[in-house]
Amino acid sequence: METTVGKLKIGAPLAMGRYSVSRDADPAPIVWLKGAPNSDFITEFAVDYLPFDAMERENPSRQYYYSGNPDYTTSNLLQFLNSDQEDWYEPTHQYDAPPVRNNVNDRYRAPYKDHYGFLCFFEEYEIESIADNAGSRIRLPVHGCFSGENKFPLFRKKGIRARATEDFIENKRLSFTGTSYVPIWLADRSEYEESACIMARNGDTNWQRPVYACGVRPVCTLHPDTAVVRDADGLYHIKPRNVDRYLCTDEELFELLGMAQP
């Protein structure tokens, strides 16, 4: 059955992209749930357990030196989530530092500088189906996604707390099981300057130093007119299509080649 993203019911499951917490494991399909009528989607499960940002050892702020930077817009995690490259890290500001072993708390097997970017195993047409919001296609949820007047309609009947994917449980090898709830990072600004916001395992908003790891449950907005098809298991998939990213007009082509048009 073919339809569009905009016509899907709240809670409809969509398989889009593949990912593994280990770069040495086969990436598994990521299941997203439609959260709101505007085609906001959120992953069904927490997909990984990563630091928000690394220690910035050149930063004159002692807080950021030891705890990492809580600025969401320049964080390692936001850059990682929006990269389709194997070598994803580039400094976002003067004092930025990569999430390597010496720059993060390693108790949770947390370095991810050498892991491929989150979008690496998304098809090109899948990436193009995700709306670009101020340079970011993938984002972290805010507390308002789960609570308050504007929360996702998805969570009016469904619990807000996240469990881990099977890949997360098998390959991260932490203490989480299939019945465990996973705390997750939020994009909200913490009331404490040195900390970033999280949703704790009990569903309450809390805070944590960026250098420590926490669950990652991404959010994105799809273009409502994106065509999708449903498989025998009830999962929707974005219908493959050619992406005309490299098409240009005759005028642009002749300009590129340095030739005069006939």
Side-chain angles (χ1 to χ4, degrees):
M1 183 185 79
E2 181 175 329
T3 185
T4 62
V5 163
K7 294 179 180 179
L8 293 180
K9 294 181 179 180
I10 299 299
L14 173 76
M16 178 177 67
R18 293 180 295 131
Y19 181 78
S20 174
V21 300
S22 170
R23 65 176 300 147
D24 299 322
D26 291 333
I30 305 168
V31 177
W32 305 73
L33 303 177
K34 186 172 181 178
N38 70 336
S39 300
D40 280 342
F41 280 75
I42 186 169
T43 56
E44 183 175 16
F45 300 99
V47 298
D48 210 335
Y49 206 75
L50 301 171
F52 192 86
D53 198 66
M55 295 180 186
E56 296 180 352
R57 298 182 184 274
E58 302 298 323
N59 198 314
S61 166
R62 304 311 291 172
Q63 293 175 334
Y64 296 169
Y65 180 102
Y66 289 110
S67 299
N69 196 323
D71 182 359
Y72 170 66
T73 61
T74 62
S75 65
N76 294 155
L77 187 53
L78 184 62
Q79 184 183 23
F80 168 79
L81 288 173
N82 283 279
S83 177
D84 61 358
Q85 302 296 308
E86 290 196 21
D87 187 11
W88 62 270
Y89 174 77
E90 291 184 7
T92 60
H93 60 89
Q94 180 180 359
Y95 303 115
D96 199 19
V100 295
R101 185 177 300 275
N102 291 338
N103 290 341
V104 299
N105 181 286
D106 194 40
R107 184 160 56 118
Y108 299 111
R109 302 172 181 86
Y112 59 102
K113 191 266 182 183
D114 293 329
H115 195 290
Y116 53 79
F118 179 69
L119 295 175
C120 190
F121 287 98
F122 281 60
E123 298 294 339
E124 188 173 8
Y125 62 83
E126 292 177 322
I127 294 176
E128 290 299 318
S129 298
I130 304 172
D132 188 327
N133 183 10
S136 296
R137 296 183 188 273
I138 307 297
R139 61 189 189 274
L140 294 178
V142 295
H143 180 68
C145 293
F146 307 100
S147 180
E149 294 181 0
N150 297 319
K151 72 178 179 181
F152 285 173
L154 170 70
F155 296 120
R156 290 174 184 164
K157 294 183 179 180
K158 180 180 175 64
I160 63 174
R161 295 182 291 174
R163 294 187 171 91
T165 63
E166 291 183 9
D167 167 77
F168 180 144
I169 295 168
E170 293 175 8
N171 293 308
K172 204 71 174 183
R173 298 180 183 177
L174 300 176
S175 60
F176 298 106
T177 67
T179 59
S180 301
Y181 290 114
V182 180
I184 61 170
W185 289 115
L186 298 174
D188 304 85
R189 185 75 181 183
S190 170
E191 60 185 286
Y192 298 98
E193 183 180 354
E194 74 280 4
S195 299
C197 257
I198 67 169
M199 185 169 75
R201 295 176 71 168
N202 64 1
D204 291 342
T205 302
N206 212 323
W207 54 88
Q208 181 171 287
R209 292 183 178 182
V211 73
Y212 288 90
C214 195
V216 181
R217 191 181 188 185
V219 172
C220 70
T221 303
L222 293 179
H223 296 298
D225 59 353
T226 300
V228 292
V229 293
R230 189 173 65 181
D231 65 20
D233 294 327
L235 283 174
Y236 288 91
H237 303 260
I238 294 175
K239 185 178 180 180
R241 68 182 190 279
N242 293 325
V243 177
D244 298 331
R245 177 178 293 182
Y246 304 109
L247 293 183
C248 60
T249 64
D250 288 345
E251 182 179 354
E252 291 170 334
L253 177 60
F254 279 105
E255 182 179 352
L256 177 66
L257 296 176
M259 298 171 58
Q261 292 191 61

